[in-house]
């Protein structure tokens, strides 16, 4: 692999996955994500990994969960319609606590929508798309370099917290070319799931360490035998109707993310120290937003910039803190107003929140956002 | 009484099981366990995958590497496991709804790929778990809660489906002949490729009750009276075969297997 490359976002995700130790890809082609599958088809056999094109996204999701249970770090990638199809099995991965990474390269919806156009309409689906309560870890890259770096992080988070981790990219980012520098990753920068350190006879598959709420995971074929199920289960992994066991499992599923919230949450800021107006944006829109904020600054407007890198958990505490001294928060999004609801929740009315939505299949131009900054200034 | 070796494959700590007394699924589990014992399989190297349904609960009762997945999707999970670790013995147990309704697409593609997984289809002609709704194998005219005036849509022949889609071993028997089920399952496991063993079974609770086969014994008698071995069926005319179910081995061929093909692809690519 070259040390510096000129890649599309989708390529960066594929090579980031390989660098993170991904050795299995299962999926189904869909624009604008297909390049990820195509690169994995070419590269995985070279590292003794496995690629399989399944019959649909449902099976693609199933296959990566299966491969992860058998011990391989696994990736699947899709877009809108495929993301919808994956939801049921994604839920099984949450319930059974199976690490996998799922990339959704967002395009316009609903339904088949706009296969070749950018949108950010899946951000709430990423949080709540599968039925039932669960903690979500979802990253949102804003550059090709970050597509690479975040994919490594996503695998690490999946392995550490034993659950699916989502990456929401978008059509522009997926197909845009930028320089990527591949930092050398030494093995200490790669996380591997906690393995059991007891003999197979003593292995209790969902018995979590109270210190981190995370159970150890054995792989099929490693001498341990255990039961994986999407049914609510007890520490033995066996289905239960016992109210105490049910609550124990559900509370731990939420807690294992909640307690590490500060380790997981990532964000980026610019000019926030004296800002009176804040533009909060993610993904490709963050780039237009930062340009608009720079423009505002050059004209003496006290504008600042905030970019959640993790959409979920959302950096709510951090946004709330900023909101105490900010007059207006503008939230430009390529949807009809989704993350803005989360921003409103976070700021508790401490500042005015203005939604700016664009759903014409195009990316915001900086001056469109600058105009709104000017209006509220 | 099952032998001690068979019992050692059971997670008795998880009993009582959910099956109704007299349900045919237990007979199939016994046949499967006897096959695994005879083949001297190791529990920690044997994977049992299943979907959702009464039949699919079987995975939980077997003390092996077990995965109880989503309705109809078990073959997707099993495919991921098998491709990740081809050295594992992978068996997929499923109901007729799992296999031929919600999971029909996965089933035909597993057959087409000819991946080395043994699929055991427990065909009770009904959705047992959800209380007796019609399945794609409910015979025309039969009563189910969703066909209160009798089923009007033709049913699937799972073995023909598997044969047409490319499985390398396809056989059918019934719970009236557990020894034969055991033999077919054994051959399926030994076959390098995708094997389908359809075992006709009963849900006296939801299907039998509405279709004049109230007790488990009524159902065993029904299978005894209405199944015809393939060897015999070959010499029978179409008229005589009306209402009969042909049992036997329909396909037994050696064709390239998916994971072997993939491993040789890796070798080719890596030079
Ligand atoms: C996506 C989804 N749809 C529907 C169900 C409800 N459901 C559970 S089991 C089942 C049918 C089971 O029938 P079959 O596969 O024939 O197995 P049996 O219970 O008869 O052994 C259905 C429809 C489900 N669990 N998931
Ligand atoms: S409902 Fe039918 S299929 Fe389910 S356990 Fe009872 S008899 Fe068996």
């Amino acid at each position: 692999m070259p040390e510096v490359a000129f890649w599309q976002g989708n390529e960066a995700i594929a090579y980031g996955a390989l660098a993170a130790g991904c050795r299995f890809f299962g999926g189904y082609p869909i624009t604008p994500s297909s390049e990820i599958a195509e690169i994995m088809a070419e590269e995985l056999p070279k590292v003794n990994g496995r690629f399989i094109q399944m019959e649909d996204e449902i099976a693609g999701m199933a296959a990566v969960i299966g491969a992860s249970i058998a011990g391989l770090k696994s990736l699947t990638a899709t877009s809108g319609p495929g993301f919808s199809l994956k939801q049921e099995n994604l839920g099984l991965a949450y319930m059974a606590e199976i690490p996998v990474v799922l990339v959704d390269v967002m395009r316009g919806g609903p339904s088949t929508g706009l296969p070749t156009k950018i949108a950010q309409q899946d951000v709430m689906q990423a949080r709540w798309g599968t039925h039932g309560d669960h903690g979500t870890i979802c990253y949102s890259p804003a550059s090709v370099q970050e597509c690479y770096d975040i994919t490594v992080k996503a695998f690490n988070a999946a392995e550490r917290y034993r659950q699916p981790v989502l990456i929401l990219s978008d059509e522009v980012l997926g197909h845009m070319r930028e320089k990527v520098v591949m930092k050398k990753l030494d093995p200490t920068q790669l996380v591997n799931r906690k393995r059991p350190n007891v003999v197979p006879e003593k292995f209790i598959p969902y018995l979590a360490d109270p210190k981190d709420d995370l159970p150890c995971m054995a792989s099929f074929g490693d001498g341990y035998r255990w039961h994986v199920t999407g049914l609510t289960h007890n520490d033995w992994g066996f289905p239960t109707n016992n109210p105490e066991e049910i609550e124990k499992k559900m509370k731990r599923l939420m807690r294992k993310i909640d307690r590490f919230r500060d380790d997981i949450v990532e964000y980026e800021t610019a000019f926030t120290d004296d800002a009176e107006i804040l533009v909060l944006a993610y993904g490709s829109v963050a780039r237009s937003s930062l340009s608009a904020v720079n423009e505002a600054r050059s004209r003496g407007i006290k504008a600042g910039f905030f970019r959640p890198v993790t959409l979920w958990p959302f950096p709510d505490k951090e946004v709330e803190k900023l909101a105490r001294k900010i007059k207006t928060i503008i939230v430009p999004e390529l949807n009809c107003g989704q993350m803005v609801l989360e921003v409103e929740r976070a700021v508790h009315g401490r500042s005015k929140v203005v939604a700016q939505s664009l759903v014409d299949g195009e990316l915001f131009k900086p001056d469109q956002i600058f105009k709104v900054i000017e209006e509220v200034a | 009484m099952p032998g001690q070796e068979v019992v050692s494959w059971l997670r008795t700590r998880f009993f009582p099981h959910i099956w109704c007394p007299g349900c045919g699924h237990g007979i199939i589990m016994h046949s499967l366990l006897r096959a695994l014992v005879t083949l001297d399989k190791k529990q920690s190297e044997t994977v049992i995958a299943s979907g959702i349904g009464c039949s699919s609960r079987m995975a939980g009762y077997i003390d092996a590497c077990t995965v109880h997945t989503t309705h109809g999707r078990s073959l997707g999970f099993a495919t991921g496991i098998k491709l990740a670790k081809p050295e594992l013995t992978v068996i997929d147990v499923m109901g007729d709804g799992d296999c031929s309704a919600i999971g029909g697409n996965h089933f035909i593609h597993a057959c087409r790929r000819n991946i080395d997984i043994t699929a055991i289809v427990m065909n009770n002609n009904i959705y047992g778990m959800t209380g007796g709704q019609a399945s794609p194998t409910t015979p025309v005219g039969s009563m189910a809660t969703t066909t209160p005036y009798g089923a009007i849509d033709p049913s699937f022949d799972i073995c023909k489906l598997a044969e047409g889609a490319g499985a390398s071993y396809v056989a059918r028997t019934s719970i009236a002949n557990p020894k034969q089920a055991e033999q077919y399952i054994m051959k399926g496991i030994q076959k390098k490729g995708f094997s389908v063993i359809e075992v006709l079974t009963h849900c006296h609770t939801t299907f039998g009750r509405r279709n004049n086969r109230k007790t488990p014994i009524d159902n065993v008698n029904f299978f005894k009276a209405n199944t015809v071995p393939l060897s015999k069926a070959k010499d029978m005319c179409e008229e005589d075969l009306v209402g009969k179910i042909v049992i036997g081995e329909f396909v037994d061929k050696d064709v390239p297997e998916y994971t072997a093909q993939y491993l040789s692809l890796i070798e080719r690519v890596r030079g």
Side-chain angles (χ1 to χ4, degrees), chain A residues 88, chain B residues 25 52-56 71 95-98 102 124 126-130 135:
Chain A
E88 189 198 6
Chain B
H25 293 337
I52 297 291
C54 296
S55 37
S56 286
H71 189 28
D96 45 294
D98 257 328
I102 192 164
N124 58 9
I126 200 80
Y127 289 176
M129 173 139 275
T130 42
S135 100

Side-chain angles (χ1 to χ4, degrees), chain B residues 18-25 54-55 124 126 128-129 202-206:
Chain B
I18 63 147
W19 293 325
C20 304
C23 173
H25 293 337
C54 296
S55 37
N124 58 9
I126 200 80
M129 173 139 275
H202 64 269
C203 172
H204 56 293
T205 311
T206 76

